[in-house]
Amino acid sequence: MARTPTEPNAPRRPPRRGRPGCAQPSPPPSAPGGDSGGYLLVEILIAIAVFAIGFLAVGTLLVGTARNNTTGNLVTQAVMLASDRLESLKNRAIADLPLGSFEDPDNPLDGRGNPGGVFVRRWVIDDPVGNDSSRRIRVTVSWSRLGQVRTIDLTTLTRGKGT
C-alpha cells in the first residue's frame, strides 16, 4: 500500500526553491582533503613571506645606494681639491715652480680645502724635457674610507702663467 502525504509516517519532501523544472546551482567544490578553511592561513603566510623578502631587497638597495652616494661625494670633493691646487700651480711662473715633492701644510683637509678633514693633498713638480722651459705637475689627493685608501691623481704639463 502506497503512503499518501496525509499519513503521519510519510516522509516529508523539502520544499522546492526556484522555478519548477530549473536546475539548482551546485555548491562550490571543496578543496582536496575536504575542508578549505586552512588554505586562507597558508596563503596569508606565503604572502607575508613574499612581502618580507621584497622589503629586505628594497632595504639592501637603499643601503647600497646611500653608500655609493657617499663615495661619489668624496670622489667629487677629492677631484675639486686636486683641480684647485693644479690650477693654482699652473698659473705661477716657471721660476716660481721649484722641482720636488710637496705636501699641503694644512693636511688633513676637508672638502673645501680647510684643515681638519679626511683628505691628504700632495704634489710633485718635475722637468719632463730637461731644458727648464716647462714643468709636469702631478697632484694626488688621498683619503681612507671603509678600510681602503682611495687616491685621485691629476697631471698636467705647463710652461707657466696658465699655459
Side-chain angles (χ1 to χ4, degrees):
M1 171 165 165
R3 293 188 185 184
T4 62
T6 57
E7 292 182 26
N9 291 339
R12 298 181 92 181
R13 260 204 263 176
R16 284 189 168 187
R17 295 187 183 160
R19 296 188 314 192
C22 291
Q24 297 296 319
S26 61
S30 63
D35 188 20
S36 66
Y39 273 110
L40 185 60
L41 180 61
V42 172
E43 290 170 352
I44 289 173
L45 290 175
I46 290 172
I48 289 172
V50 168
F51 279 119
I53 291 170
F55 283 131
L56 287 175
V58 169
T60 303
L61 180 68
L62 290 175
V63 169
T65 301
R67 184 181 314 125
N68 289 337
N69 197 14
T70 301
T71 301
N73 287 339
L74 289 171
V75 169
T76 300
Q77 291 173 1
V79 168
M80 292 304 295
L81 285 171
S83 178
D84 286 346
R85 177 56 63 186
L86 193 67
E87 290 300 319
S88 71
L89 292 171
K90 271 180 69 172
N91 287 328
R92 295 182 185 175
I94 290 289
D96 295 335
L97 291 173
L99 303 178
S101 296
F102 305 92
E103 187 169 315
D104 199 311
D106 295 329
N107 280 339
L109 306 169
D110 67 5
R112 295 188 171 122
N114 300 320
V118 296
F119 300 103
V120 175
R121 182 167 54 186
R122 296 180 178 96
W123 59 93
V124 176
I125 301 173
D126 63 354
D127 186 359
V129 180
N131 61 5
D132 209 32
S133 65
S134 64
R135 297 284 188 264
R136 178 175 41 212
I137 304 169
R138 178 180 177 192
V139 179
T140 303
V141 176
S142 59
W143 71 98
S144 179
R145 171 149 166 76
L146 301 174
Q148 294 180 335
V149 176
R150 311 277 178 125
T151 303
I152 296 292
D153 289 322
L154 297 181
T155 304
T156 189
L157 293 172
T158 184
R159 291 186 291 172
K161 301 209 178 191
T163 60

